[in-house]
Amino acid sequence: MRLTRQVSSGPRQLPPVPAHFTNRTAELTLLEDLLPREGADGPAVHLISGQGGIGKTALATAWGRHLGDRFPDGHLWADLGGFSTNGPLSANEALGRFLRALGVPPEGLPADVEELTALFRTTTAERPLLLLLDNAASTEQVLPLLPACAESLVIVTSRRRLGRLQTEHRAKLIELAPFGSAHSAELLGRAVGAERVGAEADQARAIADLCGGLPIALTTVSAKLAGRPKMSLEKIATELGKEYRRLATLSTKEAQSVEASFNLSYDELPSDAAALYAALGLHPGPDFGVGVAAASIAVREEVADDLLDQLVDVGLLIDRGDDRYTFHDLARLHAKEKTAGNEYDRDIAVRRMLEWYLFTASATADLTTPDQDAIPYRYEYRPSTRASFDTHEEALDWLELERENLIAAVETAHEWQLPELGWQLAAAMWPLFLLRKHYPDFLRVSEIAVQCAQAWGNASAEALMRNRSGAACRGTGRYDDAVRHYLAGRDAARTAGDHVVEIRSVEGLGLVALQQGRLDEAIEWFTEDHLLSERQNRPHDVGLALINLGATRVRAGQAEAAIADLTRARDVLDGDDYNVARARIELGRALTASGDLAAARAELEQAHATMESSGSRFEVARALFAFGEIAEADGEPEEARRFYDRALPIFVGLGRPEADALRTRLEQL
């Protein structure tokens, strides 16, 4: 490709660069880097893709004009109307325009499209041209318009990725992303004046953020501000801050508004893709996979996969990779508006998605040993197939991946007055919170679930969620709140006659007393816990009570009694690897206190390995702490420090109160 400056002679059809064209430095550099060198066997084709309003035409025009002098034989431009209310431009019309611009008289143009294409190739065979084919609908629309000269450059813009153009014609793809905050503010400043933006800098940043980095949105706001010089930026920012008003604020009477841009893509969709788009606008979380998308409109996953591809292809969805998708913020609002006024369809779509999350999360229940009998849920839209997880790690990874969506699902169920579904979703997250903690999320979910259980009118469900709220408060050192939740949980359990859940409330009260150093009170609570478990003939709960009794007796200086309790707990809990490992950690500490360091190490090594494989970072840290205690008892302070240094960041990262005690320990070494 010739890269030298030439004398102008041919048509110059490129439109002007937008007055406030901003940034895109990286994309312009990439486009330059992708230019082919000598020896190509066909014209270079560059495809600029992205959602409507992202700035594809502005970038293409800016780059084309930058390169213009390299193509003296002509610059051709056509709006192919791929996403236009008037429909796509026909090949006959586009070829006719190009040929006339290149000097072919109108009477010399054949009527047949194949003859027109052949004439265009003949006419362009020896003429290096720059073509800007804007707003292409498909590869088929582009192909007849490719010139014959290998030294030509064709710039195509499209909301679609035009895969065939890439594979068969070696088009180089450049995908545009929204602006960041700095460049959004820069565009706003160029359009309405730096002085005006500087006077309300905070409001300008808010406007930039609420426009989601979408150039068409920023340009629309700029036009409104420019047309009303006395309007404050604060007023626009306030309007944009109202979600239900945002798209209206970003729309004008002219066609080129945010809503009009999205509508052009939406109107091109087949009915099933349009239905999926509208349903996903109601999705509760930030991103989603194929499974919940399929559930939202009750189709098979392979069907949903194809429909998602269609939405990505027209720029209404963003493909994040690994089968995860998300919306631009403004596209999400547009999608949500497509179900406005149709409460029946909205309710069905939301319930289908929430029930899919519950159904799939319930498949992770075997990550932990149940500590109470499940309260069954009757599905209105039961998914046809449940997700299967080959390993515990895979199940836990799924919970982690969907954590934000599951939290949002609980909140959505509460907001949409689906209380039974809300607390069930919260309950299904228990394995994640038990093993990975996430205490702020744990507390947020559990407290919403308490409200859901109360609204549903089930005292057992309320007691269970009270206990979970207590555990979250206890884990972050909010002991007074923890006691309040546990006492309320015990009362609700007694109201329901649910002695199993009452066991958990009493256990929680003992754990708070233990963490606060009220050892005699803790022993009283755990003794009551033990007796309740024996009366209900629940061996597993007996084992848990013995772990807590043993741990408390270690701290009370009763090493021998603790060893007896913990040895029995380890045996009673056989088969529950996680809680056997918990018993071994405490047993290791008791054996250390008694002076049997070799036996202590043996217990801790097995416990540490189990907790590593289970993914419980908190219990891994507790095992490391216990190893440090052994090293101290063995007169190896440096070895102890190494164990404590490994445990401390885990406690800190989890927001656990044990971090303070460990820092004190390190200072004393």
Side-chain angles (χ1 to χ4, degrees):
M1 176 171 290
R2 291 183 298 183
L3 300 177
T4 56
R5 185 182 181 92
Q6 305 289 326
V7 178
S8 299
S9 63
R12 296 292 182 269
Q13 294 186 340
L14 295 189
V17 180
H20 307 301
F21 178 70
T22 302
N23 189 28
R24 300 304 187 194
T25 304
E27 290 85 352
L28 286 167
T29 301
L30 177 59
L31 285 164
E32 287 282 343
D33 291 343
L34 291 174
L35 279 172
R37 302 308 168 191
E38 301 294 335
D41 57 1
V45 182
H46 285 57
L47 171 61
I48 300 174
S49 181
Q51 70 185 98
I54 198 71
K56 301 181 293 297
T57 300
L59 175 61
T61 304
W63 190 49
R65 285 192 164 269
H66 172 70
L67 296 176
D69 289 343
R70 304 178 191 179
F71 298 92
D73 288 293
H75 312 156
L76 301 175
W77 167 82
D79 180 354
L80 300 185
F83 295 87
S84 165
T85 54
N86 296 322
L89 186 70
S90 70
N92 295 57
E93 179 62 25
L95 287 167
R97 292 179 188 179
F98 287 167
L99 287 165
R100 288 191 295 272
L102 292 170
V104 177
E107 62 271 19
L109 297 179
D112 181 76
V113 68
E114 291 183 1
E115 292 182 12
L116 269 174
T117 303
L119 179 59
F120 180 66
R121 293 187 61 77
T122 300
T123 305
T124 60
E126 303 296 331
R127 302 175 71 169
L129 298 170
L130 171 62
L131 272 73
L132 171 50
L133 305 178
D134 198 15
N135 197 15
S138 65
T139 299
E140 288 69 23
Q141 191 184 25
V142 170
L143 294 183
L145 309 181
L146 296 180
C149 180
E151 294 182 353
S152 292
L153 172 64
V154 182
I155 308 170
V156 181
T157 74
S158 180
R159 300 185 185 196
R160 295 191 168 113
R161 294 175 178 176
L162 306 184
R164 191 172 147 222
L165 193 65
Q166 295 181 58
T167 57
E168 297 183 15
H169 297 273
R170 292 178 288 187
K172 303 295 192 300
L173 175 66
I174 296 90
E175 291 193 274
L176 295 192
F179 285 153
S181 296
H183 292 116
S184 295
E186 180 186 345
L187 190 156
L188 200 61
R190 287 186 180 186
V192 302
E195 184 176 344
R196 190 174 177 188
V197 168
E200 294 185 81
D202 289 344
Q203 300 303 326
R205 280 192 291 273
I207 290 170
D209 290 342
L210 289 165
C211 286
L214 201 60
I216 193 173
L218 292 160
T219 302
T220 302
V221 168
S222 299
K224 288 192 174 187
L225 289 168
R228 301 180 66 180
K230 294 185 178 181
M231 177 185 283
S232 70
L233 272 66
E234 181 181 10
K235 181 174 182 180
I236 288 283
T238 300
E239 283 296 298
L240 289 173
K242 301 171 183 174
E243 186 174 287
Y244 67 93
R245 286 280 304 154
R246 195 172 305 161
L247 283 181
T249 303
L250 293 172
S251 297
T252 66
K253 294 180 180 179
E254 301 171 10
Q256 287 305 308
S257 69
V258 173
E259 189 166 14
S261 177
F262 286 141
N263 279 338
L264 289 174
S265 292
Y266 178 78
D267 291 343
E268 289 291 313
L269 296 173
S271 59
D272 48 359
L276 179 61
Y277 175 70
L280 290 174
L282 302 167
H283 180 265
D287 65 358
F288 46 84
V290 177
V292 72
S296 71
I297 57 171
V299 297
R300 300 189 311 277
E301 288 194 13
E302 54 268 30
V303 174
D305 198 37
D306 178 63
L307 297 177
L308 289 166
D309 283 345
Q310 293 181 45
L311 295 177
V312 170
D313 198 37
V314 297
L316 291 174
L317 268 188
I318 300 168
D319 183 351
R320 298 182 58 179
D322 296 325
D323 292 326
R324 303 294 293 183
Y325 302 87
T326 191
F327 281 102
H328 184 281
D329 288 345
L330 297 177
R332 185 189 300 276
L333 292 179
H334 180 260
K336 186 183 291 187
E337 287 193 358
K338 294 304 175 185
T339 58
N342 192 336
E343 298 305 318
Y344 179 74
D345 285 350
R346 289 167 66 90
D347 290 347
I348 290 175
V350 167
R351 185 180 279 274
R352 278 176 170 155
M353 288 187 282
L354 299 188
E355 291 194 338
W356 182 87
Y357 277 117
L358 175 59
F359 192 67
T360 309
S362 298
T364 71
D366 62 354
L367 285 171
T368 61
T369 301
D371 54 6
Q372 69 282 315
D373 296 330
I375 299 175
Y377 177 81
R378 185 180 63 80
Y379 289 87
E380 287 198 25
Y381 304 102
R382 185 184 184 89
S384 56
T385 56
R386 185 192 295 268
S388 59
F389 302 106
D390 293 333
T391 65
H392 281 192
E393 290 77 12
E394 186 181 337
L396 191 57
D397 287 346
W398 182 87
L399 286 170
E400 191 68 69
L401 175 68
E402 300 289 359
R403 175 168 56 91
E404 290 186 62
N405 288 331
L406 289 166
I407 293 167
V410 173
E411 294 173 333
T412 300
H414 180 50
E415 291 165 7
W416 286 62
Q417 298 181 15
L418 300 169
E420 182 186 9
L421 188 47
W423 89 263
Q424 288 275 9
L425 279 161
M429 295 182 72
W430 171 241
L432 175 67
F433 295 138
L434 177 66
L435 297 173
R436 295 280 175 86
K437 304 311 178 187
H438 293 298
Y439 285 114
D441 293 341
F442 186 12
L443 181 58
R444 176 176 159 201
V445 163
S446 299
E447 290 189 331
I448 293 173
V450 168
Q451 298 175 55
C452 287
Q454 289 174 330
W456 188 45
N458 187 296
S460 286
E462 180 188 349
L464 176 59
M465 291 299 105
R466 286 284 191 184
N467 290 342
R468 300 275 168 88
S469 298
C473 291
R474 177 172 55 81
T476 51
R478 294 172 51 180
Y479 297 123
D480 290 345
D481 288 336
V483 168
R484 174 175 57 82
H485 279 300
Y486 283 130
L487 289 173
R490 184 183 63 172
D491 292 344
R494 287 177 175 175
T495 298
D498 193 333
H499 300 297
V500 174
V501 178
E502 182 185 356
I503 290 170
R504 297 278 76 76
S505 302
V506 172
E507 175 191 58
L509 291 164
L511 290 169
V512 173
L514 174 59
Q515 285 183 242
Q516 289 187 303
R518 295 180 282 112
L519 302 183
D520 290 342
E521 185 180 339
I523 288 174
E524 289 179 11
W525 284 118
F526 292 139
T527 300
E528 181 180 344
D529 174 11
H530 184 215
L531 290 172
L532 279 169
S533 301
E534 292 276 15
R535 275 192 220 118
Q536 296 300 313
N537 191 28
R538 294 183 63 85
H540 187 265
D541 289 327
V542 168
L544 297 180
L546 288 170
I547 291 176
N548 292 324
L549 273 171
T552 308
R553 284 174 172 150
V554 172
R555 289 185 58 180
Q558 303 169 14
E560 295 304 321
I563 290 170
D565 286 337
L566 292 163
T567 301
R568 185 180 168 211
R570 182 191 62 189
D571 297 340
V572 167
L573 292 166
D574 186 38
D576 178 358
D577 293 344
Y578 174 82
N579 280 305
V580 166
R582 286 184 59 227
R584 288 186 185 279
I585 291 171
E586 299 300 344
L587 182 54
R589 301 185 73 189
L591 290 165
T592 300
S594 73
D596 193 346
L597 303 187
R601 282 194 183 93
E603 296 292 342
L604 286 171
E605 284 168 357
Q606 293 184 64
H608 182 261
T610 298
M611 291 307 186
E612 282 277 15
S613 65
S614 75
S616 177
R617 296 172 60 230
F618 172 62
E619 295 296 346
V620 166
R622 292 186 67 246
L624 292 170
F625 196 154
F627 274 123
E629 291 176 324
I630 293 176
E632 278 198 77
D634 206 20
E636 299 287 347
E638 290 308 311
E639 184 180 356
R641 181 180 295 278
R642 285 193 291 273
F643 282 118
Y644 294 153
D645 283 342
R646 289 168 61 191
L648 182 59
I650 300 176
F651 285 137
V652 171
L654 294 172
R656 290 288 309 193
E658 287 86 350
D660 292 334
L662 187 48
R663 288 192 187 98
T664 301
R665 194 87 173 231
L666 280 164
E667 290 170 2
Q668 294 171 349
L669 279 179

